């Protein structure tokens, strides 16, 4: 197998053929680590080395935070809002101009199919444009008149240096999802991207550099989570940590950041149910179910990884699911016809494989699609159904984060709600029924942050995003992100001479 760039756009080919070493981006300059240490980045399609990447240490993190702090107290902090927001729109324009480079680079680095990365990159541009608009129209305070004696009003102030720690499953989009609100509200940023997907984070730094932001406003320090990420979390002068990743990492980060009373936004793991009632539009439910678990190679936090299908339609639905699984095109992530590419990394491939193996041991029946033999060097897992599963199995309880769907049946509404809620996660959920009352009722009864009724995962950027239970803390998206990225201050102004207690004013009688 070789990497075939024939069908990639010229821009994509150029950028892939010219990948060099990746450095940090600190204070407006691309710099190696102070230690000169690097780590190796591999291609999941062939498992060959792509390049080496600067391995950030505490000193590199300190330099980035210092630069971000200086920018916050300097030019960026004093900049007029309209100018700041012009930068946001400029970044959006530049991302749009370079979609044909960024999307192939992302697919090359992560194994995500090109057709999907193109959409993710377009969404990344929207994130900047959206937050420019949101800050100018919705970042407003409240006013309280108190009996004509006081006027109290709130203002939103940027907090300072935001430490952003991101995963590899939709890296470019998820980085911008945090950077856009952080910068638009006036903070400065140190980004620690996932070590398995450094290429587009570096491209983003190049784009932001080209947009001409003052030095230090945006910084990237690459490196291993437990070293570089941990140094960012432990840094005294980083009051905000926005993290997206695994629940167990989120727990560790909160523990490590507790000493400095940081504020955390946590977007964590999921194990989301899709419940299909017998009156649902089955073809549409099938489309949504298949897309929801197999898009992004199944490496999707909101994936519907637990199917509960009504007993009376189960055998027909499962036959149709199997036919889809047989048909899904597994292959080269740079080919636009590919529907599932290789998983991000050999370690993750082993993790997903071990889950499938364990499910088999636990009594599940494994049904899989095909991976053509020519792809045997890559981290490919075929689309997989785990049939005959039950609620107690590990495969049902734990996040697998691959193209693996556990399939279960139900007959009773109350029972399926109970089982849908019987996991530690609560990120998303999907309900399919043509009974309107039931749709609303079941959606409200599922304990998760985001529910969709008769819909696939379509999100308007104005809506809140986040999970309940162990899927997260807080909400990002829309104006909800302002709660995290700004400090609300209340200012009380007296309009009148209101009574003030006069301690010590009357002369004491001395005996
Ligand atoms: P991960 O937790 O392994 O890593 C995420 C980031 O944290 C990486 O940048 C990593 O280097 C860093 N990190 C690791 N250990 C750290 C530490 N001790 N201190 C500071 N930083 C540290 O997650 P992953 O494997 O990259 O991503 C997959 C996970 O992300 C899945 O669980 C998925 O559900 C979750 N995810 C959640 C959402 C959401 O919005 N809820 C979105 C996407 C992905």
């Amino acid at each position: 197998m070789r990497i075939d760039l024939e069908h990639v756009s010229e821009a994509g080919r150029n950028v892939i053929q010219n990948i060099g070493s990746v450095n940090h981006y600190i204070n407006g300059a691309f710099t190696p680590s102070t230690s000169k240490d690097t780590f190796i980045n591999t291609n999941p399609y062939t498992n060959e080395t792509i390049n080496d990447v600067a391995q950030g240490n505490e000193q590199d993190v300190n330099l980035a935070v210092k630069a971000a702090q200086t920018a916050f107290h300097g030019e960026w902090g004093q900049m007029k809002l309209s100018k700041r927001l012009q930068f946001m729109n400029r970044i959006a324009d530049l991302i749009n101009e370079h979609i044909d480079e960024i999307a192939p680079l992302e697919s090359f680095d992560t194994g995500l199919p090109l057709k999907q990365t193109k959409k993710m990159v377009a969404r990344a541009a929207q994130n900047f444009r959206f937050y420019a608009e949101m800050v100018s129209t919705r970042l407003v305070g409240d006013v309280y008149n108190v009996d004509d004696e006081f006027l109290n009003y709130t203002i939103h102030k940027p907090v300072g240096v935001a430490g952003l720690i991101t995963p590899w499953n939709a890296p470019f989009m998820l980085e911008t999802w945090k950077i856009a609100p952080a910068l638009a509200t006036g903070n400065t940023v140190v980004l620690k991207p996932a070590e398995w997907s450094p290429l587009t984070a570096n491209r983003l730094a190049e784009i932001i550099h080209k947009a001409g932001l003052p030095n230090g406003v945006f910084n990237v320090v690459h490196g291993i989570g437990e070293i570089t990420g941990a140094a960012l979390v432990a840094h005294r002068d980083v009051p905000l940590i926005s993290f997206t990743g695994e629940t167990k990492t989120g727990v560790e980060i909160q523990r490590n950041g507790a000493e400095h009373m940081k504020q955390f936004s946590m977007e964590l793991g999921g194990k989301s149910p899709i419940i299909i009632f017998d009156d649902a539009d089955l073809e549409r439910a099938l489309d949504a179910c298949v897309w929801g678990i197999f898009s992004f190679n199944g490496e999707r936090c909101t994936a519907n990884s637990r199917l509960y299908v009504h007993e009376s339609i189960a055998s027909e639905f499962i036959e149709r699911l199997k036919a889809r699984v047989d048909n899904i095109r597994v292959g080269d992530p740079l080919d636009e016809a590919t529907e599932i590419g290789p998983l991000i990394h050999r370690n993750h491939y082993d993790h997903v494989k071990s889950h499938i193996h364990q499910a088999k041991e636990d009594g599940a029946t494994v049904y899989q699609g095909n991976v053509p033999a020519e792809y045997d060097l890559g981290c490919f897992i075929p689309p997989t159904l785990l049939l005959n599963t039950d609620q107690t199995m590990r495969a049902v309880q734990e996040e697998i984060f691959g193209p693996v769907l556990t399939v279960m049946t139900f007959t009773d509404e109350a029972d399926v709600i109970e089982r849908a809620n019987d996991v530690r996660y609560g990120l998303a959920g999907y309900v399919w029924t043509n009974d309107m009352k039931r749709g609303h009722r079941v959606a409200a009864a599922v304990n998760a942050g985001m529910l969709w009724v008769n819909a696939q995962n379509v999100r308007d950027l104005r809506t809140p995003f986040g999970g309940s239970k162990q899927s997260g803390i807080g909400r990002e998206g829309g104006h909800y992100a302002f709660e995290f990225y700004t400090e609300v201050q209340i200012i009380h102004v007296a309009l009148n001479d209101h009574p003030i207690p006069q301690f010590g004013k009357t002369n004491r009688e001395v005996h």
Side-chain angles (χ1 to χ4, degrees):
M1 179 172 62
R2 66 179 190 86
I3 293 172
D4 181 4
L5 296 178
E6 285 304 300
H7 43 260
V8 179
S9 66
E10 196 185 334
R13 238 183 356 255
N14 274 340
V15 78
I16 289 172
Q17 282 166 343
N18 291 306
I19 295 171
S21 300
V22 160
N23 282 324
H24 309 306
Y25 179 64
I26 298 175
N27 205 19
F30 290 88
T31 48
S33 284
T34 46
S35 64
K36 303 285 184 285
D37 285 349
T38 58
F39 65 92
I40 284 176
N41 179 32
T42 57
N43 172 290
Y45 181 50
T46 60
N47 273 302
E48 289 166 329
T49 297
I50 299 178
N51 66 339
D52 51 29
V53 180
Q55 165 54 49
N57 56 29
E58 199 181 327
Q59 210 180 332
D60 301 313
V61 169
N62 289 346
L63 290 171
V65 173
K66 182 92 201 128
Q69 241 193 344
T70 307
F72 182 73
H73 293 299
E75 197 181 343
W76 189 247
Q78 284 144 24
M79 190 178 281
K80 281 207 158 50
L81 175 66
S82 58
K83 184 157 182 215
R84 191 164 88 215
L85 299 184
Q86 271 171 18
F87 279 118
M88 300 295 105
N89 284 314
R90 173 90 183 112
I91 297 169
D93 291 343
L94 285 169
I95 292 174
N96 272 333
E97 279 168 31
H98 293 280
I99 286 182
D100 275 353
E101 292 165 23
I102 302 165
L105 198 61
E106 180 112 310
S107 291
F108 184 70
D109 205 12
T110 61
L112 291 165
L114 184 58
K115 206 163 173 183
Q116 295 168 38
T117 52
K118 279 188 172 172
K119 293 214 172 89
M120 293 176 188
V121 177
R123 182 75 160 195
Q126 277 174 22
N127 283 336
F128 283 98
R129 227 179 278 298
F130 173 77
Y131 271 106
E133 176 77 20
M134 279 301 285
V135 164
S136 60
T137 56
R138 284 295 299 268
L139 190 55
V140 288
D142 298 314
V143 179
Y144 305 81
N145 281 305
V146 187
D147 299 334
D148 294 332
E149 275 191 330
F150 286 96
L151 187 67
N152 302 343
Y153 61 92
T154 57
I155 56 172
H156 289 77
K157 302 205 298 192
V159 185
V161 180
L164 311 180
I165 303 178
T166 49
W168 44 260
N169 66 311
F172 193 78
M173 200 288 287
L174 286 172
E175 287 151 15
T176 61
W177 166 250
K178 295 182 189 297
I179 297 164
L183 292 183
T185 51
N187 301 285
T188 54
V189 162
V190 177
L191 169 71
K192 206 305 278 174
E195 53 268 44
W196 288 347
S197 58
L199 295 185
T200 50
N202 183 53
R203 193 77 192 91
L204 183 60
E206 288 170 350
I207 281 175
I208 292 182
H209 185 74
K210 197 168 167 188
L213 269 72
N215 290 347
V217 172
F218 175 71
N219 306 272
V220 183
V221 186
H222 294 275
I224 308 301
E226 292 78 358
I227 301 168
T228 323
L232 187 58
V233 170
H235 201 298
R236 204 183 51 167
D237 299 326
V238 180
L240 296 177
I241 294 287
S242 175
F243 169 74
T244 299
E246 281 189 59
T247 297
K248 72 169 172 2
T249 316
V251 170
E252 172 80 12
I253 286 178
Q254 287 178 81
R255 197 179 288 128
N256 293 343
E259 192 188 337
H260 297 301
M261 285 292 277
K262 288 174 192 256
Q263 296 195 53
F264 296 106
S265 170
M266 293 272 151
E267 307 278 0
L268 309 174
K271 189 77 189 179
S272 303
I274 178 168
I275 304 172
I276 303 179
F277 286 91
D278 48 359
D279 63 346
D281 179 336
L282 283 202
E283 191 62 16
R284 287 183 60 73
L286 182 66
D287 287 341
C289 179
V290 170
W291 165 258
I293 184 64
F294 298 126
S295 53
F296 303 11
N297 301 338
E299 298 161 325
R300 183 170 190 162
C301 56
T302 49
N304 47 249
S305 48
R306 289 182 291 144
L307 166 64
Y308 298 94
V309 57
H310 195 275
E311 186 70 50
S312 65
I313 53 165
S315 59
E316 184 196 342
F317 194 82
I318 291 168
E319 281 320 301
R320 285 161 77 173
L321 253 183
K322 285 179 174 171
R324 293 290 184 96
V325 161
D326 292 342
N327 242 340
I328 285 179
R329 291 180 69 139
V330 178
D332 179 352
L334 287 169
D335 183 342
E336 293 229 27
T338 292
E339 291 169 322
I340 295 188
L343 297 187
I344 180 84
H345 192 272
R346 183 55 74 177
N347 293 358
H348 187 55
Y349 165 90
D350 290 340
H351 161 84
V352 174
K353 260 213 119 110
S354 80
H355 261 293
I356 297 172
H357 177 76
Q358 176 73 47
K360 214 167 164 177
E361 299 265 293
D362 292 345
T365 308
V366 179
Y367 186 89
Q368 293 189 300
N370 296 306
V371 177
E374 61 187 294
Y375 300 135
D376 61 358
L377 287 180
C379 301
F380 284 95
I381 299 269
T384 302
L385 303 177
L386 297 179
L387 306 167
N388 302 317
T389 44
D390 69 52
Q391 200 67 28
T392 61
M393 290 182 186
R394 255 187 73 195
V396 174
Q397 290 292 327
E398 290 179 21
E399 183 181 47
I400 299 176
F401 219 55
V404 182
L405 177 67
T406 56
V407 180
M408 289 162 284
T409 62
F410 73 95
T411 49
D412 176 63
E413 181 182 313
D415 168 62
V416 78
I417 291 169
E418 195 179 320
R419 286 198 279 152
N421 288 334
D422 174 30
V423 291
R424 67 187 175 116
Y425 297 107
L427 190 56
Y430 307 83
V431 182
W432 284 84
T433 176
N434 274 329
D435 176 340
M436 202 175 70
K437 286 192 215 157
R438 177 159 65 190
H440 288 285
R441 189 169 65 228
V442 175
V446 174
N447 295 330
M450 298 170 284
L451 265 292
W452 280 266
V453 181
N454 295 333
Q456 60 127 329
N457 182 329
V458 181
R459 261 202 79 244
D460 184 288
L461 285 173
R462 289 169 301 178
T463 61
F465 183 97
S468 38
K469 300 200 276 185
Q470 295 193 21
S471 285
I473 299 175
R475 296 290 181 269
E476 295 192 0
H479 66 80
Y480 301 89
F482 296 156
E483 278 175 33
F484 177 73
Y485 288 109
T486 65
E487 188 83 51
V488 176
Q489 190 176 47
I490 176 87
I491 299 182
H492 305 261
V493 182
L495 302 176
N496 239 317
D497 290 343
H498 64 288
I500 304 178
Q502 298 180 321
F503 272 27
K505 192 158 183 189
T506 338
N507 281 340
R508 274 191 309 148
E509 276 182 37
V510 184
H511 296 285

